[in-house]
Amino acid sequence: MTPRLLLNGDFARFWLSQVLTGVASKSMTMVFPLLATISFAATPFEVGVVAAAQYVPVLVVTLFIGVWLDRRPRRPTLLFTDVAGGLALLLVPVLSGLDEFHLGVLYAVAFGFGSLVAIAEVCAQAYLPSLVRGSEMVAAIGRLEAVFTLVVVAAPGLGGLLMNWLGGSGAVLTGAVCYLLAALVLCGVRRREPPVLAPVAPQRVRSEIAAGARFLLSVPVLRTLIGQAALFNFFEQAMLTLYTVYAASVVGVTPALLGLTVTLGAVGSLLGAVTAEQAERRWGLKRVVVVSMAIASFAPVLIPLATRPTAATVTIWSLSFVLYGFGLTVYNVFSTSTRQRLTPDRLRGRVAATTRLVAYGPLSAGTLLGGGLGSLFGARSGLWISVCLLAAAFLHFVMAMRRTRIPDLRPDPEQEQESEPAK
C-alpha cells in the first residue's frame, strides 16, 4: 500500500476484512459442489444447481440492496453480512454433527450464503469512499482489485485443499471462522460515515432503482465504461469456457498445467494493481483505460496459436494470461475509481448495484455462447471466433471513447480537508 493508505488504519482494517471474506466466499465456490459430489453422490445436474445457487442472488437481490444502502449507513450492513455469513456456514458442521445435513440443506445454505455475498460486495463498494480521500481512491481500489483477483484465482484451489485436509465440515467451518474474524476486524473501524440524506418525499422502490440506472446512463464516461465491461465479460466468458475444452480435450494439456496457466494471470493482476496509479499520473485516464483494455482484449489471441502439449505452449498460454490479468486489472481499477469519484454519495449503493448487474449479468450467457460455438464449429474454431469477438468489442470501445469527454476528476482541496478521519 502507499504510505498514506498504510497510515489510514481504518482502510487497513477494511482491507483485511475484505481479504478474509473474499478467501472464504471464493473457497466455498469449490467446497459446496465438492460436498454435493462427495457427501451426497449428487448428479451433475444437482451439482450444477448447488453451484448456480451461489450466483443467482446477484440477479435477484442486487438492485434492491442498492436502494437499501442509499437509505442508511453502509458499515452496519457490512457487519451484518459478515456475522450472518459466518453463522450460515456454521450450519453445515452443526447439522452434520446432528446427522441432519442433506442435499436440500446444502441448496438452502448455498443460496442464503450467496445472497449475503452479493449484498456485501455491493455494500463494500458503496462504503469505501467514506474511508479514503478522493486522491487516494485509485490506490485504494487497486489494492482491493489485487485482493479480488488473487482470491478469485487461488481461493477455489484452497477450498479443494481444505476439503482434502479437513473434510467437508472442517473446510466450511474454516470459512465461518474467516467471516466472524472479518466482522471483528471491521468493528475496529473508527471513522464515522457521512450522514445519510433521506429522500425529500417517499418514493417507490422501482423509482429509486431507476434513479441509479438513470445516473449511470446519463454520464457518458460511465456509460461507455460499463458498456464495455458488459461486452468484454460476455465474450471473455465464451473464450474461457472454450479455453478449458480446447486445452484439455484438443491439445491434451494436463489439468495441473491448465490450472497453472490461469493462476499466473494473478501475477499480471498484481502488477496492474501496483502500477495503475503511476500510469494515470504519467499518461492520463483516457489513454490508460484504452491501452489496458487493448492488452486485455488482444492477449487471448495467443491461445489458439498453440496446438501441441509442449513447454512452449504452456509458456505462451501463461504469457497470455499474465498480459490479460494486467490489462483487465488496470481497466477495472480506473473504471471503478472513475465511478466512485463521479457518483454522489446518495446514489452510491444504487449505482454500484446497477453496475454489478450490468457487468456480471452477461457471464452466464457468455458461457452458453462458448458452448454453442464449440458445438457448432469445434473447440479451436469456436475459440478463434470468441477471440475475434473480443477484439471487435475493443474496436467499438475505442470509437466510443473518442467521442467521450473525461470530466475533471481531481479532488477538491476543500473536500479533501473535510474528509480527514475522525480522531
Side-chain angles (χ1 to χ4, degrees):
M1 298 184 193
T2 62
R4 291 274 294 276
L5 285 176
L6 280 172
L7 294 175
N8 186 340
D10 286 338
F11 174 77
R13 294 182 185 93
F14 171 73
W15 181 85
L16 179 57
S17 72
Q18 290 296 293
V19 172
L20 290 168
T21 56
V23 169
S25 64
K26 301 309 176 187
S27 295
M28 293 306 110
T29 62
M30 177 69 74
V31 170
F32 285 165
L34 283 175
L35 266 175
T37 303
I38 296 171
S39 300
F40 305 115
T43 65
F45 175 76
E46 290 170 332
V47 173
V49 172
V50 171
Q54 298 176 76
Y55 296 111
V56 167
V58 172
L59 302 175
V60 177
V61 306
T62 298
L63 292 179
F64 296 99
I65 198 61
V67 175
W68 167 275
L69 291 171
D70 284 337
R71 291 174 171 174
R72 51 190 48 80
R74 288 81 188 238
R75 180 170 169 267
T77 303
L78 203 55
L79 279 169
F80 167 78
T81 58
D82 288 350
V83 174
L87 295 177
L89 293 179
L90 277 176
L91 283 174
V92 173
V94 169
L95 292 177
S96 293
L98 297 174
D99 201 24
E100 295 291 335
F101 187 50
H102 51 80
L103 191 58
V105 171
L106 184 57
Y107 289 153
V109 170
F111 181 81
F113 182 69
S115 298
L116 293 167
V117 171
I119 293 169
E121 289 180 348
V122 173
C123 188
Q125 289 192 25
Y127 181 48
L128 174 63
S130 66
L131 295 177
V132 298
R133 298 169 179 266
S135 59
E136 296 175 327
M137 187 64 69
V138 172
I141 292 173
R143 304 310 177 260
L144 291 173
E145 279 294 327
V147 170
F148 179 78
T149 302
L150 280 176
V151 299
V152 165
V153 172
L158 175 62
L161 291 174
L162 290 173
M163 284 282 293
N164 186 57
W165 296 336
L166 305 175
S169 294
V172 179
L173 179 61
T174 302
V177 171
C178 285
Y179 260 81
L180 296 176
L181 283 175
L184 187 62
V185 170
L186 196 60
C187 283
V189 174
R190 298 177 181 178
R191 181 179 176 83
R192 298 184 183 92
E193 291 184 67
V196 177
L197 299 177
V200 176
Q203 295 181 335
R204 293 183 178 181
V205 171
R206 185 189 305 173
S207 299
E208 296 199 46
I209 291 174
R214 277 198 304 271
F215 174 82
L216 188 65
L217 296 176
S218 69
V219 181
V221 65
L222 298 185
R223 185 172 64 241
T224 300
L225 291 173
I226 191 60
Q228 175 60 17
L231 279 175
F232 182 89
N233 288 342
F234 179 54
F235 297 129
E236 171 216 39
Q237 200 61 35
M239 180 272 295
L240 291 175
T241 299
L242 287 169
Y243 170 64
T244 302
V245 176
Y246 176 67
S249 301
V250 179
V251 178
V253 171
T254 65
L257 289 176
L258 175 62
L260 176 64
T261 60
V262 178
T263 301
L264 285 173
V267 175
S269 296
L270 285 175
L271 291 173
V274 170
T275 60
E277 189 176 11
Q278 291 79 8
E280 183 192 27
R281 291 173 180 171
R282 184 168 182 177
W283 291 298
L285 176 63
K286 179 179 283 192
R287 184 177 298 177
V288 171
V289 166
V290 170
V291 171
S292 63
M293 180 49 66
I295 294 171
S297 299
F298 286 98
V301 170
L302 297 174
I303 295 174
L305 293 176
T307 58
R308 291 183 295 175
T310 63
T313 293
V314 174
T315 301
I316 291 172
W317 288 351
S318 298
L319 175 62
S320 174
F321 278 101
V322 168
L323 293 172
Y324 160 85
F326 174 84
L328 187 57
T329 298
V330 173
Y331 180 85
N332 285 339
V333 166
F334 287 111
S335 178
T336 304
S337 64
T338 301
R339 188 182 72 247
Q340 294 282 30
R341 288 185 279 185
L342 291 176
T343 304
D345 188 69
R346 61 184 176 82
L347 290 173
R348 287 194 194 280
R350 281 168 284 176
V351 170
T354 304
T355 299
R356 187 169 181 80
L357 182 66
V358 173
Y360 291 174
L363 292 177
S364 56
T367 302
L368 295 176
L369 173 65
L373 290 174
S375 298
L376 289 173
F377 304 107
R380 191 180 185 211
S381 296
L383 187 57
W384 270 117
I385 293 171
S386 63
V387 166
C388 290
L389 289 172
L390 262 181
F394 168 74
L395 296 177
H396 174 270
F397 176 63
V398 170
M399 291 186 289
M401 285 298 290
R402 284 181 176 176
R403 300 189 300 267
T404 301
R405 186 182 67 84
I406 304 294
D408 185 6
L409 298 176
R410 290 173 296 182
D412 184 349
E414 293 183 4
Q415 187 178 12
E416 288 285 277
Q417 184 68 25
E418 292 174 359
S419 66
E420 285 286 348
K423 301 296 183 184

